[in-house]
């Protein structure tokens, strides 16, 4: 399963993996915010954060093919946001179609491209964070940074129940293959819909059993983890380098905007 593969990668041994998640989480959010708030032009301003992100992926010794494939999976959702901008924003017409009133505007094209670039960079930043930090460490870092308890608990249950649903889907697939006796069967949409419904019901039933077992063991809503985080010189050095980059990049962007 992909999520298990992600957790295996997050348990790597590079120095990026060993950075304190209380530093990596705010650093990733700061970089995403910096990218999101910069102007859409000129385009070469995006080269600096892209270089920084690629350097972080290389230093973490991550499988780039797997990381980029996961990035491409999210890209269509970003593209949907930018899809209609070229047709609805701007004044300078680039091209008009035969249908009346349907034109592509230069300003809209620029805005759509900027959204795509910012989305790709933001997704790659989040991928760097997720692929270098186990999920339970992220949860503990959130609690250390005073994220509300209910938010952390919801994220923890979501991650665990997705695993339960994936496990139930694998069991149902094995059962279907066993009934077909190796034959390729064309499953109609009605049958497939019934299987999806049964999958959700079985996953919900199993999740409720897990929750009752947690209550029996004294669960009170607080997600307790046992990892001990200690700030090291490498953590402070990483934070300092990122802050310097953000300051220089922000000032350069501001100067470019003035020009």
């Amino acid at each position: 399963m992909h999520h298990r593969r992600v957790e295996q990668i997050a348990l790597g041994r590079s120095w990026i993996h060993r950075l304190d998640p209380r530093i990596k989480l705010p650093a990733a959010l700061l970089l995403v915010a910096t990218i999101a708030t910069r102007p859409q032009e000129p385009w070469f301003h995006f080269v600096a954060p892209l270089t920084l992100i690629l350097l972080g992926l290389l230093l973490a010794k991550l499988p780039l093919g797997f990381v980029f494939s996961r990035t491409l999976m999210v890209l269509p959702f970003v593209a949907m946001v930018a899809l209609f901008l070229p047709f609805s924003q701007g004044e300078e017409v680039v091209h008009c179609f035969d249908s009346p009133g349907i034109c592509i505007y230069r300003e809209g094209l620029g805005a759509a491209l900027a959204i795509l670039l910012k989305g790709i960079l933001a997704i790659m930043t989040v991928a760097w964070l997720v692929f270098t930090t186990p999920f339970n460490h992220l949860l503990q870092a959130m609690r250390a940074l005073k994220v509300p308890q209910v938010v952390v608990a919801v994220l923890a249950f979501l991650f665990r129940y997705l695993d339960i649903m994936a496990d139930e889907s694998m069991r149902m697939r094995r059962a279907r293959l066993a009934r077909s006796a190796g034959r390729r069967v064309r499953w109609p949409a009605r049958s497939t819909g019934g299987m999806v419904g049964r999958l959700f019901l079985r996953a919900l039933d199993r999740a409720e059993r897990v929750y009752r077992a947690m209550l029996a063991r004294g669960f009170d809503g607080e997600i307790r983890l046992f990892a001990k985080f200690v700030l090291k010189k490498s953590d402070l050095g990483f934070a300092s380098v990122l802050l310097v980059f953000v300051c220089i990049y922000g000032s350069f962007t501001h100067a470019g905007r003035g020009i």
Side-chain angles (χ1 to χ4, degrees):
M1 298 303 295
H2 291 161
H3 62 286
R4 293 174 184 170
R5 173 65 172 156
V6 170
E7 283 295 288
Q8 292 173 357
I9 296 174
L11 294 173
R13 297 184 178 274
S14 71
W15 72 272
I16 294 289
H17 286 82
R18 294 193 296 269
L19 288 174
D20 195 316
R22 295 173 298 177
I23 296 295
K24 285 194 287 187
L25 179 58
L29 295 177
L30 176 62
L31 184 58
V32 170
T34 303
I35 294 170
T37 54
R38 72 161 311 282
Q40 66 185 40
E41 294 180 358
W43 307 114
F44 64 82
H45 281 177
F46 290 105
V47 175
L50 176 61
T51 303
L52 180 66
I53 295 169
L54 291 177
L55 180 61
L57 295 175
L58 292 174
L59 291 176
K61 301 178 181 178
L62 298 176
L64 297 182
F66 186 79
V67 173
F68 293 149
S69 65
R70 301 285 80 74
T71 302
L72 292 176
M73 289 177 61
V74 187
L75 189 59
F77 297 97
V78 180
M80 289 297 297
V81 178
L83 180 62
F84 299 102
L85 287 178
F87 304 97
S88 60
Q89 181 178 339
E91 297 179 356
E92 182 179 341
V93 177
V94 176
H95 178 74
C96 282
F97 296 92
D98 295 335
S99 300
I102 302 180
C103 298
I104 297 178
Y105 300 95
R106 189 190 69 82
E107 296 85 353
L109 278 175
L113 182 58
I115 289 178
L116 286 176
L117 290 175
K118 292 179 181 181
I120 291 173
L121 293 176
I123 295 168
M124 291 178 63
T125 304
V126 173
W128 171 84
L129 174 66
V130 172
F131 286 128
T132 60
T133 313
F135 192 73
N136 60 334
H137 289 186
L138 283 177
L139 295 177
Q140 191 163 349
M142 291 179 189
R143 288 298 292 142
L145 296 173
K146 306 303 180 182
V147 175
Q149 171 186 334
V150 64
V151 175
V152 177
V154 168
L155 291 175
F157 284 127
L158 175 63
F159 184 77
R160 294 176 182 178
Y161 290 163
L162 285 176
D163 184 76
I164 290 176
M165 184 173 295
D167 186 53
E168 290 293 338
S169 66
M170 292 175 63
R171 293 172 62 185
M172 293 182 65
R173 182 175 180 273
R174 286 195 297 268
R176 186 184 69 176
L177 292 176
R179 294 188 186 96
S180 62
R183 292 179 290 108
R184 298 185 62 181
V185 180
R186 294 181 178 274
W187 294 91
R190 182 176 180 181
S191 175
T192 303
M195 289 183 62
V196 173
R198 288 192 296 273
L199 169 62
F200 278 100
L201 290 175
R202 291 178 61 174
L204 179 61
D205 180 66
R206 187 172 171 186
E208 288 180 348
R209 295 200 305 270
V210 171
Y211 181 66
R212 288 196 296 267
M214 293 175 64
L215 292 179
R217 290 168 173 80
F219 176 70
D220 58 358
E222 179 70 32
I223 303 298
R224 292 177 174 83
L225 302 169
F226 301 102
K228 298 294 183 181
F229 299 141
V230 179
L231 285 176
K232 303 180 293 293
K233 291 182 180 179
S234 58
D235 300 319
L236 299 178
F238 173 80
S240 301
V241 170
L242 184 68
L243 286 175
V244 170
F245 171 83
V246 169
C247 292
I248 295 176
Y249 181 67
S251 61
F252 181 73
T253 300
H254 181 72
R257 187 185 305 180
I259 294 174

